[in-house]
């Protein structure tokens, strides 16, 4: 697995990974039109990359396999796992054909390292309580701090 920074040219793949994250249980709740029309969801990609955005794409045998990225949002335009304006919110997705191969842990570990290198104090995310990815987040130190709708907001202290 090769990890590299997420670039502007990766926007179409990041959209695919956002859809994987939104449709984590295999139900096609979201498609591109719905993501673009959902102000909260589209905030994770709108204008990617902005100045303080950071992220990583995993490639296996030259094919993009997964990605994790984070960006700062505002109280006026929050995401689903918003904590504060100085806490980047994380998004992570892995393509179906590359699951259970360490991709999620690889990209998440790298984004955590990027956040620490940028001197952030926390990372946040939103996850459905039944999503198996929650176990990965907890194994890396994320803890539940609240509930928004049907999803848990989790924070990692850096």
């Amino acid at each position: 697995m090769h990890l590299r920074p997420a670039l502007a040219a990766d926007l179409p793949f990041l959209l695919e990974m956002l859809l994987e994250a939104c449709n984590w249980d295999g139900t096609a709740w979201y498609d591109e039109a719905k993501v673009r029309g959902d102000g909260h969801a589209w905030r994770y990609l709108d204008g990617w990359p902005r100045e303080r955005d950071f992220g990583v794409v995993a490639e296996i045998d030259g094919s993009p396999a997964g990605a994790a990225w984070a960006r700062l949002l505002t109280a006026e335009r929050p995401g689903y796992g918003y904590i504060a304006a100085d806490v980047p919110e994380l998004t992570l997705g892995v393509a179906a054909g590359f699951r259970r191969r360490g991709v999620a842990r690889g990209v998440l570990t790298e984004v955590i390292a990027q956040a620490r290198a940028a001197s952030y104090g926390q990372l946040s995310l939103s996850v459905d309580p039944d999503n198996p990815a929650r176990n990965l987040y907890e194994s890396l130190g994320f803890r539940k701090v609240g509930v928004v709708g049907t999803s848990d907001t989790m924070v990692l202290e850096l």
Side-chain angles (χ1 to χ4, degrees), residues 50-62:
R50 296 187 309 219
E51 183 178 338
R52 296 183 68 190
D53 292 347
F54 56 98
V56 61
V57 172
E59 296 176 337
I60 295 178
D61 297 329

PDB file of all heavy atoms in Angstrom, residues 50-62:
ATOM      1  N   ARG A  50      -8.887  23.458   0.414  1.00  0.00           N
ATOM      2  CA  ARG A  50      -8.707  24.818   0.930  1.00  0.00           C
ATOM      3  C   ARG A  50      -7.354  24.854   1.637  1.00  0.00           C
ATOM      4  O   ARG A  50      -6.727  23.816   1.853  1.00  0.00           O
ATOM      5  CB  ARG A  50      -9.831  25.185   1.895  1.00  0.00           C
ATOM      6  CG  ARG A  50     -11.183  25.223   1.203  1.00  0.00           C
ATOM      7  CD  ARG A  50     -12.280  25.755   2.087  1.00  0.00           C
ATOM      8  NE  ARG A  50     -12.329  25.093   3.373  1.00  0.00           N
ATOM      9  CZ  ARG A  50     -13.443  24.764   4.008  1.00  0.00           C
ATOM     10  NH1 ARG A  50     -14.599  25.017   3.468  1.00  0.00           N
ATOM     11  NH2 ARG A  50     -13.396  24.166   5.186  1.00  0.00           N
ATOM     12  N   GLU A  51      -6.952  26.042   2.016  1.00  0.00           N
ATOM     13  CA  GLU A  51      -5.602  26.253   2.542  1.00  0.00           C
ATOM     14  C   GLU A  51      -5.220  25.323   3.686  1.00  0.00           C
ATOM     15  O   GLU A  51      -4.112  24.813   3.717  1.00  0.00           O
ATOM     16  CB  GLU A  51      -5.447  27.712   2.996  1.00  0.00           C
ATOM     17  CG  GLU A  51      -4.057  28.035   3.481  1.00  0.00           C
ATOM     18  CD  GLU A  51      -3.913  29.483   3.884  1.00  0.00           C
ATOM     19  OE1 GLU A  51      -4.695  30.320   3.428  1.00  0.00           O
ATOM     20  OE2 GLU A  51      -2.993  29.766   4.670  1.00  0.00           O
ATOM     21  N   ARG A  52      -6.096  25.058   4.621  1.00  0.00           N
ATOM     22  CA  ARG A  52      -5.722  24.264   5.795  1.00  0.00           C
ATOM     23  C   ARG A  52      -6.238  22.827   5.733  1.00  0.00           C
ATOM     24  O   ARG A  52      -6.144  22.097   6.712  1.00  0.00           O
ATOM     25  CB  ARG A  52      -6.203  24.970   7.058  1.00  0.00           C
ATOM     26  CG  ARG A  52      -5.475  26.328   7.206  1.00  0.00           C
ATOM     27  CD  ARG A  52      -5.819  27.058   8.441  1.00  0.00           C
ATOM     28  NE  ARG A  52      -5.297  26.361   9.602  1.00  0.00           N
ATOM     29  CZ  ARG A  52      -5.615  26.673  10.843  1.00  0.00           C
ATOM     30  NH1 ARG A  52      -6.439  27.656  11.089  1.00  0.00           N
ATOM     31  NH2 ARG A  52      -5.119  25.993  11.852  1.00  0.00           N
ATOM     32  N   ASP A  53      -6.770  22.404   4.587  1.00  0.00           N
ATOM     33  CA  ASP A  53      -7.205  21.014   4.423  1.00  0.00           C
ATOM     34  C   ASP A  53      -5.992  20.093   4.357  1.00  0.00           C
ATOM     35  O   ASP A  53      -4.922  20.489   3.883  1.00  0.00           O
ATOM     36  CB  ASP A  53      -7.993  20.842   3.127  1.00  0.00           C
ATOM     37  CG  ASP A  53      -9.337  21.548   3.137  1.00  0.00           C
ATOM     38  OD1 ASP A  53      -9.800  21.978   4.206  1.00  0.00           O
ATOM     39  OD2 ASP A  53      -9.919  21.672   2.047  1.00  0.00           O
ATOM     40  N   PHE A  54      -6.163  18.872   4.818  1.00  0.00           N
ATOM     41  CA  PHE A  54      -5.104  17.883   4.695  1.00  0.00           C
ATOM     42  C   PHE A  54      -5.725  16.507   4.570  1.00  0.00           C
ATOM     43  O   PHE A  54      -6.852  16.279   5.013  1.00  0.00           O
ATOM     44  CB  PHE A  54      -4.119  17.948   5.873  1.00  0.00           C
ATOM     45  CG  PHE A  54      -4.748  17.799   7.233  1.00  0.00           C
ATOM     46  CD1 PHE A  54      -4.748  16.574   7.879  1.00  0.00           C
ATOM     47  CD2 PHE A  54      -5.329  18.890   7.875  1.00  0.00           C
ATOM     48  CE1 PHE A  54      -5.301  16.431   9.144  1.00  0.00           C
ATOM     49  CE2 PHE A  54      -5.896  18.757   9.143  1.00  0.00           C
ATOM     50  CZ  PHE A  54      -5.885  17.533   9.777  1.00  0.00           C
ATOM     51  N   GLY A  55      -5.001  15.611   3.927  1.00  0.00           N
ATOM     52  CA  GLY A  55      -5.530  14.266   3.770  1.00  0.00           C
ATOM     53  C   GLY A  55      -4.562  13.364   3.040  1.00  0.00           C
ATOM     54  O   GLY A  55      -3.479  13.784   2.621  1.00  0.00           O
ATOM     55  N   VAL A  56      -4.992  12.121   2.876  1.00  0.00           N
ATOM     56  CA  VAL A  56      -4.137  11.106   2.279  1.00  0.00           C
ATOM     57  C   VAL A  56      -4.994  10.160   1.439  1.00  0.00           C
ATOM     58  O   VAL A  56      -6.152   9.901   1.770  1.00  0.00           O
ATOM     59  CB  VAL A  56      -3.359  10.345   3.375  1.00  0.00           C
ATOM     60  CG1 VAL A  56      -4.286   9.627   4.324  1.00  0.00           C
ATOM     61  CG2 VAL A  56      -2.344   9.393   2.791  1.00  0.00           C
ATOM     62  N   VAL A  57      -4.390   9.685   0.356  1.00  0.00           N
ATOM     63  CA  VAL A  57      -5.008   8.676  -0.499  1.00  0.00           C
ATOM     64  C   VAL A  57      -4.124   7.438  -0.438  1.00  0.00           C
ATOM     65  O   VAL A  57      -2.899   7.539  -0.542  1.00  0.00           O
ATOM     66  CB  VAL A  57      -5.143   9.171  -1.957  1.00  0.00           C
ATOM     67  CG1 VAL A  57      -5.595   8.045  -2.879  1.00  0.00           C
ATOM     68  CG2 VAL A  57      -6.103  10.350  -2.033  1.00  0.00           C
ATOM     69  N   ALA A  58      -4.747   6.288  -0.269  1.00  0.00           N
ATOM     70  CA  ALA A  58      -4.032   5.011  -0.309  1.00  0.00           C
ATOM     71  C   ALA A  58      -4.199   4.424  -1.695  1.00  0.00           C
ATOM     72  O   ALA A  58      -5.302   4.420  -2.249  1.00  0.00           O
ATOM     73  CB  ALA A  58      -4.594   4.051   0.726  1.00  0.00           C
ATOM     74  N   GLU A  59      -3.102   3.907  -2.233  1.00  0.00           N
ATOM     75  CA  GLU A  59      -3.132   3.221  -3.521  1.00  0.00           C
ATOM     76  C   GLU A  59      -2.582   1.809  -3.331  1.00  0.00           C
ATOM     77  O   GLU A  59      -1.607   1.610  -2.594  1.00  0.00           O
ATOM     78  CB  GLU A  59      -2.283   3.963  -4.551  1.00  0.00           C
ATOM     79  CG  GLU A  59      -2.805   5.349  -4.864  1.00  0.00           C
ATOM     80  CD  GLU A  59      -1.925   6.124  -5.820  1.00  0.00           C
ATOM     81  OE1 GLU A  59      -0.712   5.814  -5.932  1.00  0.00           O
ATOM     82  OE2 GLU A  59      -2.451   7.048  -6.464  1.00  0.00           O
ATOM     83  N   ILE A  60      -3.217   0.866  -3.986  1.00  0.00           N
ATOM     84  CA  ILE A  60      -2.745  -0.511  -3.998  1.00  0.00           C
ATOM     85  C   ILE A  60      -2.597  -0.922  -5.457  1.00  0.00           C
ATOM     86  O   ILE A  60      -3.553  -0.811  -6.233  1.00  0.00           O
ATOM     87  CB  ILE A  60      -3.708  -1.451  -3.255  1.00  0.00           C
ATOM     88  CG1 ILE A  60      -3.748  -1.076  -1.756  1.00  0.00           C
ATOM     89  CG2 ILE A  60      -3.302  -2.905  -3.437  1.00  0.00           C
ATOM     90  CD1 ILE A  60      -4.708  -1.893  -0.923  1.00  0.00           C
ATOM     91  N   ASP A  61      -1.400  -1.329  -5.821  1.00  0.00           N
ATOM     92  CA  ASP A  61      -1.097  -1.709  -7.201  1.00  0.00           C
ATOM     93  C   ASP A  61      -1.505  -0.609  -8.179  1.00  0.00           C
ATOM     94  O   ASP A  61      -2.041  -0.871  -9.258  1.00  0.00           O
ATOM     95  CB  ASP A  61      -1.778  -3.030  -7.576  1.00  0.00           C
ATOM     96  CG  ASP A  61      -1.280  -4.194  -6.730  1.00  0.00           C
ATOM     97  OD1 ASP A  61      -0.089  -4.164  -6.324  1.00  0.00           O
ATOM     98  OD2 ASP A  61      -2.074  -5.120  -6.456  1.00  0.00           O
ATOM     99  N   GLY A  62      -1.286   0.650  -7.769  1.00  0.00           N
ATOM    100  CA  GLY A  62      -1.555   1.790  -8.628  1.00  0.00           C
ATOM    101  C   GLY A  62      -2.998   2.255  -8.671  1.00  0.00           C
ATOM    102  O   GLY A  62      -3.312   3.243  -9.323  1.00  0.00           O
TER     103      GLY A  62
END
